């Protein structure tokens, strides 16, 4: 008996793969030329501007700087307390500047996000050795 591995592929599997290839080929032939692709001439659809989105943007930036999310460019986790502090400070400034102009839901959301980010910042700061 030989030590070579044998790959056994039955005819049903071969015919299924062939049928799938044929279906994909027909789908590609009948689809419009740019179907499924993002046209480069048209910008991507952006969500509507909102207070919640602005807060979410700074909160995401802070969380990424706290090593909670991977950097979308490098796909790696990194910790940058200074960057996180800046994003948190921006949200605190936004809270101060919008005082009295927010709905109850917006104010509550901003207060909660700031609290959560500050607690995460303290936890990361305690784990990070001094530079």
């Amino acid at each position: 008996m030989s030590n070579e591995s044998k790959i056994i592929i039955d005819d049903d599997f071969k015919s299924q793969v062939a049928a799938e290839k044929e279906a994909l080929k027909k789908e590609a032939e009948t689809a419009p030329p740019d179907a499924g692709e993002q046209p480069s001439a048209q910008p991507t659809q952006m969500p509507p501007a909102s207070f919640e989105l602005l807060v979410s943007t700074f909160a995401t930036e802070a969380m990424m700087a706290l090593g909670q999310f991977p950097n979308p460019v490098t796909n790696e986790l990194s910790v940058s307390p200074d960057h996180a502090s800046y994003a948190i400070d921006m949200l605190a400034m936004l809270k101060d500047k919008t005082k009295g102009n927010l709905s109850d839901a917006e104010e509550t959301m901003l207060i909660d996000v700031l609290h959560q980010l500050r607690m995460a910042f303290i936890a990361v700061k305690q784990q990070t050795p001094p530079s």
Side-chain angles (χ1 to χ4, degrees):
M1 194 184 277
S2 75
N3 290 335
E4 290 183 33
S5 297
K6 292 185 180 180
I7 299 175
I8 302 172
I9 301 175
D10 64 354
D11 289 331
D12 288 338
F13 180 74
K14 285 181 181 178
S15 61
Q16 180 182 354
V17 169
E20 289 174 2
K21 282 184 178 180
E22 188 64 31
L24 286 173
K25 184 178 175 183
K26 285 181 181 178
E27 185 179 308
E29 289 172 354
T30 58
D34 290 324
E37 295 178 15
Q38 184 67 30
S40 59
Q42 296 178 1
T44 57
Q45 183 68 27
M46 300 298 288
S50 68
F51 182 78
E52 291 83 3
L53 185 57
L54 179 63
V55 171
S56 171
T57 300
F58 282 114
T60 302
E61 186 176 341
M63 293 297 283
M64 188 174 60
L66 291 170
Q68 303 297 311
F69 298 137
N71 181 314
V73 176
T74 64
N75 204 26
E76 295 178 3
L77 293 176
S78 63
V79 177
S80 174
D82 291 339
H83 189 158
S85 178
Y86 180 77
I88 293 168
D89 290 347
M90 291 293 286
L91 285 169
M93 180 272 309
L94 188 62
K95 178 180 170 276
D96 292 342
K97 295 290 184 178
T98 58
K99 188 171 185 132
N101 293 319
L102 299 176
S103 70
D104 289 341
E106 291 170 334
E107 186 174 5
T108 300
M109 177 203 49
L110 184 53
I111 289 169
D112 290 347
V113 166
L114 273 168
H115 175 74
Q116 291 171 5
L117 290 174
R118 287 172 175 154
M119 293 299 106
F121 180 83
I122 291 169
V124 168
K125 196 72 168 161
Q126 289 175 344
Q127 294 173 357
T128 307
S131 340

